[in-house]
Short mmCIF file of all heavy atoms in Angstrom, two decimals:
data_model
loop_
_atom_site.label_atom_id
_atom_site.label_comp_id
_atom_site.label_asym_id
_atom_site.label_seq_id
_atom_site.Cartn_x
_atom_site.Cartn_y
_atom_site.Cartn_z
N LYS A 28 -112.48 13.24 -1.25
CA LYS A 28 -111.79 13.61 -2.48
C LYS A 28 -110.80 14.73 -2.20
O LYS A 28 -110.92 15.46 -1.21
CB LYS A 28 -112.80 14.03 -3.56
CG LYS A 28 -113.64 12.87 -4.06
CD LYS A 28 -114.49 13.31 -5.24
CE LYS A 28 -115.30 12.14 -5.78
NZ LYS A 28 -116.12 12.52 -6.96
N GLN A 29 -109.83 14.86 -3.09
CA GLN A 29 -108.86 15.92 -2.94
C GLN A 29 -109.56 17.27 -2.96
O GLN A 29 -110.40 17.54 -3.84
CB GLN A 29 -107.84 15.84 -4.07
CG GLN A 29 -106.72 16.86 -3.95
CD GLN A 29 -105.58 16.56 -4.88
OE1 GLN A 29 -105.16 15.41 -4.99
NE2 GLN A 29 -105.04 17.59 -5.54
N PRO A 30 -109.26 18.15 -1.99
CA PRO A 30 -109.90 19.49 -1.97
C PRO A 30 -109.66 20.20 -3.31
O PRO A 30 -108.61 20.10 -3.92
CB PRO A 30 -109.17 20.18 -0.80
CG PRO A 30 -108.69 19.08 0.08
CD PRO A 30 -108.35 17.96 -0.86
N GLU A 31 -110.68 20.93 -3.75
CA GLU A 31 -110.55 21.69 -4.99
C GLU A 31 -109.60 22.88 -4.86
O GLU A 31 -109.13 23.41 -5.85
CB GLU A 31 -111.92 22.11 -5.46
CG GLU A 31 -112.82 20.94 -5.81
CD GLU A 31 -114.17 21.39 -6.39
OE1 GLU A 31 -114.31 22.60 -6.66
OE2 GLU A 31 -115.04 20.55 -6.58
N TRP A 32 -109.36 23.28 -3.62
CA TRP A 32 -108.42 24.37 -3.39
C TRP A 32 -107.43 24.00 -2.30
O TRP A 32 -107.82 23.47 -1.25
CB TRP A 32 -109.12 25.67 -2.99
CG TRP A 32 -108.15 26.81 -2.80
CD1 TRP A 32 -107.72 27.68 -3.76
CD2 TRP A 32 -107.47 27.18 -1.59
NE1 TRP A 32 -106.80 28.55 -3.23
CE2 TRP A 32 -106.63 28.29 -1.89
CE3 TRP A 32 -107.48 26.68 -0.29
CZ2 TRP A 32 -105.82 28.91 -0.95
CZ3 TRP A 32 -106.66 27.30 0.67
CH2 TRP A 32 -105.88 28.40 0.34
N LEU A 33 -106.13 24.25 -2.55
CA LEU A 33 -105.10 24.07 -1.56
C LEU A 33 -104.18 25.28 -1.63
O LEU A 33 -104.04 25.91 -2.68
CB LEU A 33 -104.27 22.79 -1.84
CG LEU A 33 -104.94 21.45 -1.54
CD1 LEU A 33 -104.10 20.31 -2.16
CD2 LEU A 33 -105.09 21.25 -0.03
N PRO A 34 -103.51 25.62 -0.51
CA PRO A 34 -102.52 26.70 -0.55
C PRO A 34 -101.47 26.40 -1.62
O PRO A 34 -101.15 25.23 -1.87
CB PRO A 34 -101.94 26.68 0.83
CG PRO A 34 -102.98 26.09 1.69
CD PRO A 34 -103.67 25.05 0.82
N GLU A 35 -100.96 27.40 -2.21
CA GLU A 35 -99.97 27.26 -3.30
C GLU A 35 -98.78 26.41 -2.87
O GLU A 35 -98.22 26.59 -1.82
CB GLU A 35 -99.48 28.64 -3.76
CG GLU A 35 -98.57 28.58 -5.00
CD GLU A 35 -98.16 29.95 -5.47
OE1 GLU A 35 -98.68 30.97 -4.91
OE2 GLU A 35 -97.35 30.04 -6.38
N GLY A 36 -98.42 25.45 -3.72
CA GLY A 36 -97.24 24.62 -3.52
C GLY A 36 -97.49 23.30 -2.80
O GLY A 36 -96.62 22.45 -2.78
N TYR A 37 -98.69 23.11 -2.26
CA TYR A 37 -98.99 21.85 -1.54
C TYR A 37 -99.54 20.83 -2.52
O TYR A 37 -100.48 21.08 -3.29
CB TYR A 37 -100.02 22.09 -0.41
CG TYR A 37 -99.43 22.83 0.76
CD1 TYR A 37 -99.29 24.21 0.74
CD2 TYR A 37 -98.94 22.15 1.89
CE1 TYR A 37 -98.76 24.92 1.79
CE2 TYR A 37 -98.41 22.83 2.97
CZ TYR A 37 -98.30 24.21 2.91
OH TYR A 37 -97.75 24.89 3.98
N THR A 38 -98.91 19.62 -2.51
CA THR A 38 -99.30 18.56 -3.42
C THR A 38 -99.54 17.25 -2.68
O THR A 38 -99.09 17.08 -1.54
CB THR A 38 -98.23 18.32 -4.51
OG1 THR A 38 -96.99 18.01 -3.84
CG2 THR A 38 -98.04 19.54 -5.39
N PHE A 39 -100.31 16.36 -3.31
CA PHE A 39 -100.62 15.06 -2.69
C PHE A 39 -99.35 14.32 -2.31
O PHE A 39 -98.45 14.15 -3.12
CB PHE A 39 -101.46 14.23 -3.65
CG PHE A 39 -101.76 12.85 -3.14
CD1 PHE A 39 -102.81 12.64 -2.26
CD2 PHE A 39 -101.04 11.76 -3.60
CE1 PHE A 39 -103.11 11.38 -1.80
CE2 PHE A 39 -101.33 10.48 -3.14
CZ PHE A 39 -102.37 10.27 -2.23
N GLN A 40 -99.28 13.86 -1.08
CA GLN A 40 -98.16 13.05 -0.63
C GLN A 40 -98.53 11.59 -0.41
O GLN A 40 -97.87 10.69 -0.89
CB GLN A 40 -97.58 13.60 0.68
CG GLN A 40 -96.34 12.84 1.19
CD GLN A 40 -95.89 13.36 2.55
OE1 GLN A 40 -96.66 13.34 3.52
NE2 GLN A 40 -94.64 13.79 2.64
N SER A 41 -99.63 11.36 0.30
CA SER A 41 -100.06 9.96 0.56
C SER A 41 -101.50 9.95 1.04
O SER A 41 -102.05 10.97 1.44
CB SER A 41 -99.16 9.29 1.58
OG SER A 41 -99.31 9.91 2.86
N GLY A 42 -102.07 8.74 0.98
CA GLY A 42 -103.41 8.55 1.50
C GLY A 42 -103.40 7.36 2.45
O GLY A 42 -102.60 6.44 2.29
N GLU A 43 -104.28 7.37 3.45
CA GLU A 43 -104.39 6.30 4.42
C GLU A 43 -105.82 5.84 4.55
O GLU A 43 -106.76 6.65 4.46
CB GLU A 43 -103.90 6.74 5.81
CG GLU A 43 -102.42 7.01 5.94
CD GLU A 43 -102.06 7.37 7.38
OE1 GLU A 43 -102.94 7.20 8.28
OE2 GLU A 43 -100.94 7.81 7.61
N ILE A 44 -105.99 4.56 4.76
CA ILE A 44 -107.28 4.00 5.09
C ILE A 44 -107.13 3.35 6.44
O ILE A 44 -106.26 2.49 6.64
CB ILE A 44 -107.74 2.97 4.04
CG1 ILE A 44 -108.00 3.69 2.71
CG2 ILE A 44 -108.98 2.21 4.51
CD1 ILE A 44 -108.29 2.79 1.58
N VAL A 45 -107.94 3.79 7.40
CA VAL A 45 -107.82 3.34 8.79
C VAL A 45 -108.94 2.38 9.13
O VAL A 45 -110.13 2.69 8.89
CB VAL A 45 -107.85 4.55 9.75
CG1 VAL A 45 -107.75 4.09 11.18
CG2 VAL A 45 -106.72 5.54 9.40
N PRO A 46 -108.63 1.22 9.70
CA PRO A 46 -109.66 0.26 10.14
C PRO A 46 -110.60 0.91 11.16
O PRO A 46 -110.24 1.91 11.81
CB PRO A 46 -108.84 -0.87 10.78
CG PRO A 46 -107.52 -0.78 10.13
CD PRO A 46 -107.26 0.68 9.94
N PRO A 47 -111.79 0.37 11.34
CA PRO A 47 -112.76 0.96 12.26
C PRO A 47 -112.39 0.69 13.73
O PRO A 47 -112.11 -0.44 14.10
CB PRO A 47 -114.07 0.26 11.90
CG PRO A 47 -113.62 -1.07 11.38
CD PRO A 47 -112.34 -0.81 10.64
N TYR A 48 -112.38 1.72 14.51
CA TYR A 48 -112.21 1.59 15.96
C TYR A 48 -113.13 2.62 16.63
O TYR A 48 -113.55 3.57 15.98
CB TYR A 48 -110.76 1.77 16.40
CG TYR A 48 -110.19 3.14 16.11
CD1 TYR A 48 -110.19 4.12 17.11
CD2 TYR A 48 -109.64 3.45 14.87
CE1 TYR A 48 -109.66 5.40 16.83
CE2 TYR A 48 -109.12 4.72 14.60
CZ TYR A 48 -109.12 5.65 15.60
OH TYR A 48 -108.63 6.92 15.34
N TYR A 49 -113.41 2.49 17.93
CA TYR A 49 -114.50 3.25 18.51
C TYR A 49 -114.08 4.09 19.71
O TYR A 49 -113.21 3.69 20.49
CB TYR A 49 -115.64 2.28 18.94
CG TYR A 49 -116.03 1.31 17.86
CD1 TYR A 49 -115.78 -0.06 17.97
CD2 TYR A 49 -116.64 1.77 16.70
CE1 TYR A 49 -116.14 -0.92 16.95
CE2 TYR A 49 -116.99 0.89 15.68
CZ TYR A 49 -116.74 -0.45 15.81
OH TYR A 49 -117.09 -1.32 14.80
N HIS A 50 -114.76 5.22 19.87
CA HIS A 50 -114.61 6.07 21.02
C HIS A 50 -115.17 5.35 22.24
O HIS A 50 -116.22 4.65 22.13
CB HIS A 50 -115.35 7.40 20.78
CG HIS A 50 -115.12 8.42 21.84
ND1 HIS A 50 -115.73 8.41 23.07
CD2 HIS A 50 -114.31 9.53 21.86
CE1 HIS A 50 -115.35 9.45 23.79
NE2 HIS A 50 -114.49 10.15 23.05
N PHE A 51 -114.54 5.53 23.41
CA PHE A 51 -114.96 4.72 24.56
C PHE A 51 -116.37 5.07 25.05
O PHE A 51 -116.96 4.31 25.83
CB PHE A 51 -113.95 4.90 25.70
CG PHE A 51 -114.04 6.21 26.46
CD1 PHE A 51 -114.69 6.31 27.66
CD2 PHE A 51 -113.44 7.37 25.92
CE1 PHE A 51 -114.78 7.50 28.34
CE2 PHE A 51 -113.50 8.56 26.61
CZ PHE A 51 -114.17 8.64 27.81
#
């Protein structure tokens, strides 16, 4: 979820959902 606190002036730009991939 969006953090309840952000530095002043920073607003939501975009969200990403990444498919599952694995560490070697």
